Amino acid sequence: DAGVIQSPRHEVTEMGQEVTLRCKPISGHNSLFWYRQTMMRGLELLIYFNNNVPIDDSGMPEDRFSAKMPNASFSTLKIQPSEPRDSAVYFCASSSGIASYNEQFFGPGTRLTVL
Amino acid sequence: KQEVTQIPAALSVPEGENLVLNCSFTDSAIYNLQWFRQDPGKGLTSLLLIQSSQREQTSGRLNASLDKSSGRSTLYIAASQPGDSATYLCAVPYGGATNKLIFGTGTLLAVQP
């Protein structure tokens, strides 16, 4: 199994540009999570999906952030327009369910730098 | 509101030493607790998951304990090696019976050869 796949691994963009991060969960997993990691705030959950449906997006910081999961094997996190304070590492994780006993498996992350 | 903290924030030890990392949480009504390892520039690797009904979990040189009543978990690493150098994070589910995770602040471990 290839694990959770994220692309790109690194993204450098200028303020105001649109940024799209991509995630492919582990095959067979029906739950997907987007996290953001910064030095100041650590790891924070942004949004999670179950069976392609967004369940909780209370962690999404602003309307500039949006996430979609059009099918079971693909999700995107979009920032439009991007700002320097969005610079962080964005992780995607998947699991076989959203029950508390379901272990999450993390991708390698996308390091985003907004200039 | 659940808060998870880890002490110390950073730790440097000589190779071969046994060490303990600490994780504290404010709300003891947790379903489980998970320990992760993060290497620089990499994602998170799950090390151990302890269910609330368990007291300990072991994997190789790693042993994690859980004391819900006191809101504490420890990760014991025996005979540390330079390859153990990484950031260690603990996490607990929050917001009901789901696996949304809230993470601790992390401990940066350096094992000196």
Side-chain angles (χ1 to χ4, degrees):
Chain A
D1 194 332
V4 177
I5 299 173
Q6 291 186 247
S7 65
R9 294 294 309 277
H10 302 273
E11 176 81 24
V12 180
T13 191
E14 293 188 345
M15 182 174 62
Q17 296 297 306
E18 177 179 297
V19 175
T20 300
L21 311 181
R22 297 172 176 79
C23 176
K24 176 178 170 57
I26 292 173
S27 177
H29 282 186
N30 61 353
S31 302
L32 184 140
F33 304 76
W34 282 101
Y35 291 87
R36 179 173 66 175
Q37 185 177 39
T38 62
M39 288 293 292
M40 291 296 294
R41 300 175 66 89
L43 260 165
E44 300 174 291
L45 177 66
L46 300 177
I47 185 171
Y48 75 98
F49 296 83
N50 191 49
N51 294 324
N52 311 337
V53 176
I55 302 300
D56 185 344
D57 64 355
S58 59
M60 296 285 264
E62 301 172 38
D63 291 344
R64 298 183 296 106
F65 286 69
S66 63
K68 294 182 180 179
M69 192 163 186
N71 56 62
S73 60
F74 183 66
S75 177
T76 59
L77 178 67
K78 184 177 295 186
I79 308 172
Q80 166 63 17
S82 58
E83 297 183 3
R85 60 196 169 110
D86 301 331
S87 297
V89 181
Y90 291 81
F91 288 102
C92 175
S94 71
S95 67
S96 55
I98 58 170
S100 58
Y101 52 79
N102 291 123
E103 187 174 351
Q104 291 183 31
F105 296 84
F106 282 73
T110 295
R111 181 173 295 278
L112 174 65
T113 302
V114 183
L115 303 174
Chain B
K1 179 187 172 187
Q2 178 72 276
E3 293 184 3
V4 183
T5 55
Q6 292 184 244
I7 296 174
L11 181 64
S12 180
V13 299
E15 181 177 3
E17 193 162 297
N18 302 326
L19 59 99
V20 174
L21 308 181
N22 297 290
C23 173
S24 300
F25 44 94
T26 54
D27 186 348
S28 61
I30 62 171
Y31 290 90
N32 56 54
L33 184 143
Q34 200 165 354
W35 282 93
F36 291 88
R37 168 185 173 139
Q38 184 175 23
D39 293 283
K42 300 287 181 61
L44 280 71
T45 301
S46 179
L47 298 174
L48 290 163
L49 187 152
I50 314 176
Q51 300 294 349
S52 61
S53 58
Q54 298 176 311
R55 299 280 295 182
E56 286 188 1
Q57 273 280 21
T58 298
S59 176
R61 294 182 295 108
L62 306 180
N63 176 277
S65 67
L66 176 63
D67 184 344
K68 281 183 57 178
S69 60
S70 66
R72 298 175 67 177
S73 176
T74 61
L75 180 66
Y76 175 83
I77 302 178
S80 59
Q81 303 171 358
D84 295 330
S85 299
T87 296
Y88 291 81
L89 295 147
C90 63
V92 296
Y94 72 105
T98 71
N99 60 349
K100 296 191 303 181
L101 294 177
I102 180 168
F103 283 83
T105 46
T107 295
L108 176 61
L109 173 66
V111 181
Q112 308 298 330

